[in-house]
Amino acid sequence: MATTITIADLFPDEHGMILVAKDGVDGLPRHISEVANGAACGCVCFGCGRRLIARNGGDIRAHSFAHRYEDMVIDCFSSGETALHLRAKEIIAEHRRITLPPSFVAGLDGEPIKVTPELCVALRDVTLEAIVGEVIPDVAATMPDGRRLFIEITNTHPCTPEKIAKLDLMGVEVLEIMVSSYRAVPLDELDNIILYKAPRKLIHSSEAKAKAAEIAGYSQQLEEVKRAEAQRLVDVYRSPSIHNHLKAQTLTEDLVQLGLAEYIDLKDERPSAFIMYRRQWQAVVLDRLYRTQSEFLKPMDLIESFANGKWPKKEIAYTTSDHSRWIAANIADDFKSPYEEVSAYLSRLHAEGAVYEIKGKGFAMSRELFIRIGAAIEKRERPERRIKELKVTFRDIGSLMLPEDGRMPSFDAWLKGRAIAVRLSVEQLLIDESGKYTDLTDRMKALYRATLGLQAYKKADPKDLVGLPVHNLVNRLITAIAEKDKREKAEWDARLQRQKAEEEALRKQEAADRVFRIAEVALFWVHDVELFLDTPLPEQNDRTPRELASESYQGFNQGQAILSKIRQAEQAVRTAENLKRDAIGKLWEQVYSRIPRREMADLWPRQSWPELGGAKPLDYCKDEKTLKRCLEVLEDFVASERKRGRR
């Protein structure tokens, strides 16, 4: 029977052995197992055409074809490729048809567009290995519409870029068929694979090329429209018409007063992506960064805020960053969208150390600049803030006074007196940095805390009254504390007595509960619960379970442990009884099955046996281990009876 040849057999194996060669007479492939030994095989190499020797007559070497020694060829690795191409080309020439895959080209958006569907076409003028120009296609043919078609069969080496370039210049349709995944398929089944099933691609398609040229032309038109629109946006960007935003300008001047002029383009009159001056929207960005403190701002957060005020020029308000960068790179390098404008400004602030950036979160003002701005604002607002601060504490102290305590002076008169006391004017005191103002506020707050504490019946001694007439207030609160202490002491003594009585009752109830709970458990494991509860325990210094449970939870647990031991002992006895009952049941079953005579079977387990130490099997058998020993003695008895001819 002929050996089935697969595609893989056409190629040298992992040791370089050639297993299939071409018959020198009919040109058909022959497997090494179906030819005569030696030169009598009549085969030649698919690759080089030289005569081969069949080595299939011995037991030492693996069976294979080999080139003759005088040809000086060790291995011909092109033999498999040649054989495969030859068979594939014969199939196409024989059937004169092939299946073309669908062709695609990239659309304007980069997504593939289908140009031609999958199609099975008839072929004519089929030629094999014909030289065409500078290439030798595996198959050359003509399609029904007159176009020339080159077919390449690929196993491991697809068409090189150089060969593809040459084929492209020739203007022919080029089909590449890949058969590498069918190496286990017999050659007899290769027809459908080559004609229909194997993966294939159109390396060159005139229809796909024409569609690609059409798309390229349309793309050029779109490019021209895109550039014209971009120029229009540039003109809008460069429009000299700029509006002065009064509120933003006021903010700009305020920031300059705070010493931030270095971060604002004060003299830059160039237009930008916004309808206002650069310095004005830059001032707003700085202000937002300061007000958000440690929170992060992204350029889009600012753009959305600006959009609410309709600050971006409406024609370029929604220009994307990609489009903006494209315009800057191809039309006008100064162009920026509102987003890019803000991003560039934030990047500048970052470079100057005014802000820092965390990727994915955004920008935040640097701590140094934040502190600097805060210090400038604080210095400017210090007098007003200090007056408010003092008035709050002044009013808080006054709110604690009752009519019988007297009246508070006017705030202005009191503040003037405090300034005179430290040899300063009121204005000097409110901007003081030497500590005199701080000392005044600390004393005021200390007085308020002390009087507030007295009002809450806490011991305090507000000696420093900071020039305020609150003597009566302090004395009234101290007197109220003394009365409250006396009242609370009497209540406390009564509460202690009640608490002791309740604790004693609770201890008794808990002791009774523990005794009751241990008695409940004992019902299941002892016959006389009261006897168990009142039996002295030597290991517990003769204390009874009732006494142990009454004493503490530890004693209760000890009583539980004693019951647990009783339960375990009973369970052990029950387990042993169950094991013995099961073992004896199995013993009787074996005795009746092994000793046919009933009277002898009834007697055997009740006899004493020396092998069991003189014990009876019914007494000896207690578990699986002793059962096994009894069954061994039984088998010895049965065997002995058989030898004696007694059954």
Side-chain angles (χ1 to χ4, degrees):
M1 177 181 288
T3 301
T4 300
I5 300 174
T6 67
I7 294 176
D9 293 331
L10 298 177
F11 297 84
D13 64 10
E14 59 182 0
H15 302 294
M17 300 295 185
I18 301 174
L19 303 179
V20 175
K22 181 169 66 174
D23 192 298
V25 178
D26 57 19
L28 296 176
R30 302 295 183 195
H31 195 271
I32 184 63
S33 62
E34 58 184 13
V35 299
N37 190 34
C41 67
C43 293
V44 298
C45 176
F46 273 110
C48 61
R50 294 182 176 90
R51 287 180 294 167
L52 299 175
I53 299 172
R55 297 186 297 197
N56 59 359
D59 297 327
I60 298 177
R61 292 185 179 183
H63 293 190
S64 64
F65 289 103
H67 291 83
R68 296 183 305 166
Y69 178 77
E70 56 269 26
D71 288 335
M72 298 300 290
V73 175
I74 298 176
D75 285 308
C76 181
F77 289 103
S78 65
S79 60
E81 292 284 357
T82 304
L84 177 60
H85 281 73
L86 178 60
R87 180 61 190 137
K89 290 182 287 188
E90 289 174 348
I91 290 171
I92 296 173
E94 177 184 348
H95 293 278
R96 307 181 80 79
R97 67 176 179 274
I98 199 69
T99 297
L100 301 178
S103 62
F104 298 87
V105 296
L108 292 172
D109 57 357
E111 295 297 320
I113 297 176
K114 190 173 184 179
V115 180
T116 58
E118 182 179 78
L119 184 65
C120 183
V121 298
L123 303 175
R124 55 187 175 85
D125 302 330
V126 179
T127 57
L128 311 180
E129 297 290 348
I131 299 176
V132 183
E134 298 182 14
V135 298
I136 305 176
D138 292 336
V139 179
T142 302
M143 295 194 295
D145 58 6
R147 286 180 293 164
R148 291 292 288 165
L149 173 66
F150 289 176
I151 304 175
E152 296 290 334
I153 309 300
T154 297
N155 179 48
T156 57
H157 301 90
C159 285
T160 64
E162 293 79 7
K163 186 173 183 179
I164 291 174
K166 290 178 181 179
L167 293 169
D168 189 51
L169 292 173
M170 298 176 70
V172 297
E173 314 297 303
V174 181
L175 174 67
E176 184 177 51
I177 302 175
M178 285 69 76
V179 296
S180 58
S181 59
Y182 298 95
R183 295 178 65 85
V185 173
L187 291 185
D188 294 343
E189 301 176 14
L190 192 59
D191 294 45
N192 283 344
I193 292 171
I194 296 296
L195 297 176
Y196 309 111
K197 294 173 59 177
R200 60 201 64 209
K201 63 179 179 179
L202 282 168
I203 295 177
H204 174 67
S205 167
S206 58
E207 292 169 303
K209 192 171 184 179
K211 186 65 175 178
E214 177 187 339
I215 293 173
Y218 185 57
S219 177
Q220 179 63 29
Q221 294 177 13
L222 293 179
E223 178 71 13
E224 293 173 358
V225 172
K226 181 179 179 181
R227 295 182 74 88
E229 173 61 16
Q231 184 59 54
R232 186 184 72 83
L233 296 181
V234 170
D235 294 339
V236 172
Y237 180 83
R238 293 175 175 173
S239 171
S241 177
I242 302 177
H243 302 283
N244 185 33
H245 195 286
L246 296 179
K247 188 175 180 179
Q249 181 59 31
T250 301
L251 178 61
T252 304
E253 295 168 357
D254 187 45
L255 294 181
V256 170
Q257 290 179 3
L258 293 174
L260 303 180
E262 62 187 291
Y263 302 119
I264 304 173
D265 296 326
L266 294 174
K267 297 181 180 181
D268 191 345
E269 303 291 331
R270 293 175 302 157
S272 68
F274 299 97
I275 62 174
M276 61 211 311
Y277 289 103
R278 288 177 184 273
R279 58 179 176 271
Q280 295 175 351
W281 63 260
Q282 288 175 352
V284 173
V285 171
L286 268 178
D287 184 64
R288 280 287 302 279
L289 286 167
Y290 177 74
R291 292 183 184 281
T292 54
Q293 299 185 14
S294 59
E295 295 182 9
F296 290 91
L297 279 179
K298 295 181 179 179
M300 188 54 69
D301 298 330
L302 294 161
I303 290 299
E304 290 176 355
S305 176
F306 291 174
N308 291 334
K310 299 182 180 180
W311 291 358
K313 293 177 179 177
K314 62 180 181 180
E315 295 87 348
I316 60 176
Y318 300 102
T319 305
T320 64
S321 293
D322 289 341
H323 193 198
S324 175
R325 287 191 287 268
W326 182 88
I327 294 174
N330 296 276
I331 306 300
D333 58 4
D334 62 330
F335 180 84
K336 291 182 178 66
S337 67
Y339 178 87
E340 294 296 320
E341 198 88 68
V342 172
S343 294
Y345 179 58
L346 289 171
S347 298
R348 167 193 159 185
L349 294 178
H350 182 267
E352 295 174 353
V355 301
Y356 64 95
E357 179 185 12
I358 294 183
K359 296 296 183 183
K361 288 190 175 181
F363 296 85
M365 181 168 286
S366 68
R367 178 171 177 76
E368 293 77 10
L369 183 57
F370 183 80
I371 293 174
R372 173 180 157 188
I373 295 174
I377 294 174
E378 192 278 331
K379 186 173 183 179
R380 184 177 63 184
E381 298 176 350
R382 186 181 301 168
E384 182 181 356
R385 178 180 57 79
R386 285 184 169 181
I387 286 179
K388 289 181 178 178
E389 183 180 32
L390 284 171
K391 281 185 175 180
V392 168
T393 310
F394 186 87
R395 284 195 298 266
D396 287 342
I397 295 174
S399 67
L400 300 177
M401 297 180 67
L402 297 177
E404 59 266 29
D405 297 330
R407 295 178 59 186
M408 289 283 281
S410 71
F411 174 79
D412 292 338
W414 170 82
L415 181 58
K416 184 176 181 180
R418 292 301 91 202
I420 293 173
V422 293
R423 299 180 180 180
L424 294 175
S425 67
V426 172
E427 292 75 14
Q428 290 172 328
L429 179 62
L430 293 176
I431 62 172
D432 174 70
E433 294 183 355
S434 67
K436 293 179 179 179
Y437 170 80
T438 303
D439 177 66
L440 175 60
T441 56
D442 290 345
R443 291 163 60 197
M444 285 287 287
K445 290 176 181 176
L447 174 60
Y448 176 65
R449 287 194 298 271
T451 51
L452 197 64
L454 289 173
Q455 190 180 51
Y457 299 100
K458 296 179 181 178
K459 296 294 178 65
D461 186 12
K463 295 179 180 180
D464 184 5
L465 303 183
V466 202
L468 293 173
V470 292
H471 303 83
N472 294 338
L473 167 65
V474 172
N475 292 333
R476 175 174 58 81
L477 295 176
I478 291 175
T479 301
I481 290 175
E483 293 176 353
K484 177 177 179 294
D485 288 346
K486 183 178 180 181
R487 197 167 50 250
E488 287 180 347
K489 185 178 184 306
E491 293 175 354
W492 177 254
D493 292 341
R495 187 183 302 115
L496 284 178
Q497 293 298 323
R498 289 195 303 273
Q499 185 176 345
K500 288 180 181 179
E502 291 171 356
E503 289 176 352
E504 181 62 27
L506 179 61
R507 281 195 296 271
K508 290 181 179 180
Q509 182 60 47
E510 289 177 345
D513 289 344
R514 289 195 294 271
V515 172
F516 177 75
R517 286 164 58 192
I518 203 168
E520 280 187 320
V521 177
L523 284 172
F524 296 96
W525 303 107
V526 300
H527 298 294
D528 190 334
V529 175
E530 292 299 321
L531 178 62
F532 166 76
L533 290 175
D534 296 324
T535 299
L537 302 172
E539 67 272 18
Q540 297 294 337
N541 296 325
D542 290 334
R543 287 179 295 176
T544 66
R546 186 190 305 277
E547 291 171 338
L548 288 172
S550 297
E551 287 176 1
S552 64
Y553 278 103
Q554 181 180 1
F556 171 78
N557 291 333
Q558 291 170 344
Q560 291 276 50
I562 294 169
L563 284 174
S564 178
K565 290 180 181 179
I566 294 173
R567 182 177 70 250
Q568 290 174 358
E570 290 191 6
Q571 288 177 340
V573 170
R574 293 176 185 175
T575 300
E577 291 175 351
N578 291 337
L579 287 174
K580 182 173 183 178
R581 183 173 59 255
D582 292 344
I584 290 176
K586 294 177 181 178
L587 176 64
W588 278 113
E589 289 179 4
Q590 290 298 317
V591 168
Y592 285 134
S593 66
R594 302 297 292 152
I595 302 176
R597 294 173 56 191
R598 182 60 182 259
E599 65 277 9
M600 184 178 292
D602 290 339
L603 180 62
W604 187 89
R606 295 182 172 88
Q607 295 183 129
S608 299
W609 294 93
E611 294 89 339
L612 301 179
K616 299 176 183 179
L618 289 179
D619 297 332
Y620 184 83
C621 189
K622 296 180 177 62
D623 51 29
E624 289 293 331
K625 182 177 180 180
T626 53
L627 171 64
K628 181 178 179 182
R629 179 58 185 150
C630 289
L631 294 180
E632 291 173 353
V633 174
L634 174 63
E635 289 301 319
D636 291 343
F637 171 78
V638 172
S640 176
E641 287 296 302
R642 286 178 179 172
K643 288 181 181 180
R644 295 161 62 183
R646 297 169 59 187
R647 298 183 58 83

